[in-house]
Amino acid sequence: MDPNNRWVVLINQVPWDDLVSLFNKHTPPKGTGRPPLNPRVLIGALIIKHILNLDDRGQLPRYM
């Protein structure tokens, strides 16, 4: 990967371990059901969503 890519640069700036610890602290593990997604994937998706100003469907919001 290109080390100058904006997402690669961002990866190196995010305190992943701190965020995952905080996420896990507020979302206790479940004993049943489907295994949870990796918290880094969830956190990364939220960061990208907000940086690109996307709605929950991945589209730019329409303003009136």
Side-chain angles (χ1 to χ4, degrees):
M1 297 187 108
D2 179 7
N4 296 317
N5 179 289
R6 67 178 171 166
W7 304 117
V8 174
V9 171
L10 182 64
I11 286 171
N12 295 321
Q13 294 176 342
V14 173
W16 292 105
D17 293 334
D18 295 337
L19 290 175
V20 168
S21 294
L22 186 62
F23 179 86
N24 287 335
K25 181 179 176 182
H26 293 285
T27 53
K30 297 179 182 178
T32 61
R34 182 177 181 172
L37 292 174
N38 184 328
R40 289 178 185 232
V41 172
L42 299 172
I43 295 166
L46 283 173
I47 291 171
I48 291 170
K49 175 184 180 274
H50 286 281
I51 287 174
L52 296 179
N53 193 30
L54 300 174
D55 66 11
D56 291 338
R57 295 182 185 161
Q59 300 174 356
L60 291 172
R62 294 182 187 169
Y63 297 102
M64 295 181 181

